[in-house]
Amino acid sequence: MSSKPSLTLIGGGLVGALLAQQLARRGFVVDVFEKRPDPRTAGFAGGRSINLALAERGLQALRSADLDEDVLRHAVMMRGRMVHTADGRSGLQRYGIDDSEVIWSVSRGGLNMLLLDAAEAAGVRFHFGQGLVGADFDAGRMRVAGLDGTEREVDAPVLIGADGAGSALRAAMSACRPLGERTEWLGHGYKELEIPPASQLLPALAEQGGHDQFAIEPNALHIWPRGGYMCIALPNTEGSFTVTLFLPGKGPHPSFVTLPDAAAAAAFFREHFADLLPLLPDFAEDFDAHPVGSLATLYLERWHLDGRALLVGDAAHAIVPFHGQGMNCGFEDTAALAGLLDGHDPAEAFAEFQRIRQPNADAIAAMALENYVEMRDSVADPRYLAKRELGARLAARAPGHYMARYRMVTFTDLPYAYALERGRAQDMLLEQLLRESNDPASVDLDAAVSALKATLPPLPPLRHG
Ligand code: FAD
Ligand code: E1W
């Protein structure tokens, strides 16, 4: 075979940096054009600490890049979800029976910088402050703009877009051939707030009568479900937490338009997040300074232009964040693509990549949307709780035959499409078993396991973390 083609990546974010490292390690010549300045010297946008949940799929991709240990050194373990109800009570629902089934809170900025270092060490050439503005796919050339706006042309026969949900490469590809693009807006937005380390919160905690070293349990993902809206919090290594409020963008109260400023929002928090507000000493500053983010699902019919251009990560399949899988799915993309490009020409590899990944991207998009509703309200719904309890009993009795969908998504590398399909079948069975009574203890478990084995094949053997 001829020598490996040289590849031009657009975007040095989480997915772009990891993909670049994996391709360079396989001997490709890789150039990455990143619109923003180098975060390792310029400081990460705004200096705010934003974090993300890393789960098994993302970890497996990092493992294949030999970066898992480095990343986990800077991560905070989350053993379960801590649910804070409106009456001020809270309880931990563990994700698994032991610490083999946990997720990890990682700093977005820290992770990106670690991945940039790793890619550079593998030989990737970075061009920071160079944003794609256009491409001529027939000529194999692209136009990039520097931070001062000056444009120049660069040779780029094979382009890979990891430039996020607002992808400029996607726009350039659409101008060449329609990609069948559709964006479904969620209609809900988000705003990030911060709980500082407990040492900075002593007066507020003393008022609440707490003596803990931490404001709230550090090794958990915190959720304040409130029906039409919710807050979550993920821990940072420094003892702080990043809180995210998810709320309708407009419409009747409460929505971001009915909370136009910090004063209105503080009154709303006093009423509905009474236990959270005292932990947010900079509430007013944060609320007024941080923008409202928007949320959408992106669907494309085509991810590539033959062997000339391909989209990966959010650029191809942005999803809503409620399963914490956007980055994990993008990391899974990188491992799949690096494997396919090794030994195939780009045209074949790109077509095969879409064939394999698109059904899975569609499946996690659907599950992420469903999880918002589940997080917001059904965590307190008796029907949901009964099904979850019966599911746990079936999993304990027949672990090779029943696994909750959340666990398939979060703790295995079973394809997302498989998790969606099997989850539906399992759910139908639970509905049937609980038709007579909503009490899981009243269900004959032996009969239930027989019914399960009669309707569904066993789970495939699992590669566990
Ligand atoms: P991005 O991270 O958006 O990176 C794109 C990069 O391309 C950036 O560096 C950008 O500067 C650059 N770029 C943009 N335009 C150009 C251009 N024209 N030229 C050159 N470069 C360009 N996922 C999880 O797995 N777990 C979570 O807990 C989680 N929580 C989330 C919470 C929220 C509120 C949101 C909004 C998302 C969350 N996600 C989570 C999803 C995750 O953030 C994304 O899936 C992930 O960042 C996608 O990575 P990416 O590299 O494809 O895109
Ligand atoms: C995870 C932003 C975000 C990130 C997440 C999760 C959630 C709710 C949100 C889903 C979850 C990790 N989830 N957690 N507990 N039950 N479902 O697992 O990343 Cl809003």
Side-chain angles (χ1 to χ4, degrees):
M1 223 188 104
S2 61
S3 76
K4 291 186 168 172
S6 111
L7 304 170
T8 307
L9 270 57
I10 307 302
L14 299 176
V15 172
L18 180 57
L19 178 61
Q21 185 258 17
Q22 289 179 281
L23 291 171
R25 290 216 310 177
R26 288 167 192 259
F28 289 92
V29 173
V30 182
D31 283 275
V32 177
F33 289 79
E34 164 57 50
K35 181 157 89 175
R36 291 178 298 188
D38 188 341
R40 295 166 299 179
T41 49
F44 217 77
R48 283 202 269 150
S49 54
I50 307 286
N51 45 32
L52 300 131
L54 174 68
E56 184 58 24
R57 291 165 203 274
L59 259 180
Q60 257 173 38
L62 290 169
R63 212 171 278 140
S64 71
D66 290 317
L67 296 171
D68 53 320
E69 287 177 13
D70 269 4
V71 170
L72 288 185
R73 247 194 296 285
H74 306 283
V76 183
M77 183 187 279
M78 298 186 288
R79 292 195 174 90
R81 67 181 79 95
M82 180 78 82
V83 177
H84 302 257
T85 50
D87 61 13
R89 286 181 303 174
S90 62
L92 181 71
Q93 302 167 357
R94 291 191 66 123
Y95 290 131
I97 16 176
D98 57 36
D99 286 357
S100 70
E101 287 188 337
V102 297
I103 54 178
W104 301 88
S105 179
V106 294
S107 142
R108 179 188 289 272
L111 178 58
N112 203 351
M113 292 191 274
L114 185 154
L115 295 175
L116 293 173
D117 282 342
E120 221 158 53
V124 173
R125 291 188 303 221
F126 281 95
H127 310 267
F128 290 101
Q130 303 276 306
L132 178 87
V133 289
D136 179 340
F137 299 100
D138 293 325
R141 288 172 70 74
M142 65 171 182
R143 246 173 333 114
V144 296
L147 290 169
D148 62 1
T150 15
E151 293 189 8
R152 65 187 176 103
E153 280 207 8
V154 181
D155 278 328
V158 185
L159 279 159
I160 300 178
D163 49 348
S167 173
L169 183 61
R170 192 174 72 233
M173 290 164 67
S174 310
C176 183
R177 186 199 293 182
L179 302 178
E181 177 173 341
R182 181 164 57 91
T183 298
E184 245 167 50
W185 295 97
L186 180 65
H188 290 226
Y190 69 94
K191 191 176 287 262
E192 282 143 350
L193 305 165
E194 180 164 305
I195 300 176
S199 58
Q200 288 173 43
L201 268 175
L202 289 175
L205 288 178
E207 258 171 57
Q208 287 202 329
H211 329 269
D212 278 12
Q213 187 189 347
F214 297 93
I216 47 175
E217 164 62 43
N219 295 113
L221 186 158
H222 294 263
I223 305 179
W224 290 260
R226 295 296 184 264
Y229 53 94
M230 69 177 186
C231 280
I232 63 157
L234 272 69
N236 298 310
T237 42
E238 320 85 64
S240 60
F241 292 79
T242 304
V243 174
T244 311
L245 164 67
F246 294 98
L247 187 73
K250 47 189 190 212
H253 185 69
S255 72
F256 278 110
V257 293
T258 73
L259 301 177
D261 54 42
F268 168 68
F269 267 64
R270 250 190 307 280
E271 187 176 349
H272 298 284
F273 299 106
D275 58 334
L276 178 55
L277 186 60
L279 306 179
L280 303 168
D282 301 325
F283 182 85
E285 292 80 356
D286 286 353
F287 197 92
D288 284 335
H290 301 166
V292 177
S294 55
L295 301 168
T297 310
L298 167 73
Y299 304 93
L300 299 181
E301 276 163 30
R302 275 189 84 79
W303 289 358
H304 64 97
L305 289 183
D306 313 310
R308 295 173 296 172
L310 171 74
L311 301 169
V312 298
D314 276 17
H317 49 67
I319 60 175
V320 296
F322 305 108
H323 219 306
Q325 287 290 320
M327 165 189 64
N328 285 285
C329 178
F331 281 6
E332 214 175 38
D333 281 356
T334 69
L337 181 59
L340 288 169
L341 273 168
D342 216 353
H344 296 87
D345 73 50
E348 269 177 75
F350 292 179
E352 186 64 1
F353 177 77
Q354 176 174 355
R355 194 185 69 75
I356 294 170
R357 293 301 292 163
Q358 195 172 36
N360 292 311
D362 287 344
I364 189 56
M367 292 189 286
L369 280 162
E370 286 178 24
N371 215 45
Y372 188 26
V373 181
E374 187 159 322
M375 288 295 95
R376 259 154 53 191
D377 36 48
S378 32
V379 274
D381 171 28
R383 186 73 182 166
Y384 167 81
L385 293 173
K387 284 203 273 180
R388 202 182 60 185
E389 171 62 25
L390 180 56
R393 287 172 190 230
L394 286 174
R397 185 71 72 98
H401 294 267
Y402 185 96
M403 185 183 273
R405 188 178 85 178
Y406 177 85
R407 291 179 60 218
M408 290 191 266
V409 168
T410 307
F411 300 121
T412 78
D413 63 354
L414 293 169
Y416 287 124
Y418 176 92
L420 176 62
E421 193 191 344
R422 188 165 184 112
R424 278 203 189 116
Q426 289 180 166
D427 196 66
M428 276 170 54
L429 184 73
L430 294 181
E431 286 283 356
Q432 226 154 44
L433 292 167
L434 289 167
R435 217 170 23 206
E436 308 286 294
S437 146
N438 204 35
D439 179 11
S442 72
V443 173
D444 176 348
L445 275 188
D446 290 324
V449 168
S450 303
L452 177 61
K453 290 182 178 171
T455 34
L456 285 173
L459 287 154
L462 293 170
R463 258 208 301 156
H464 245 254

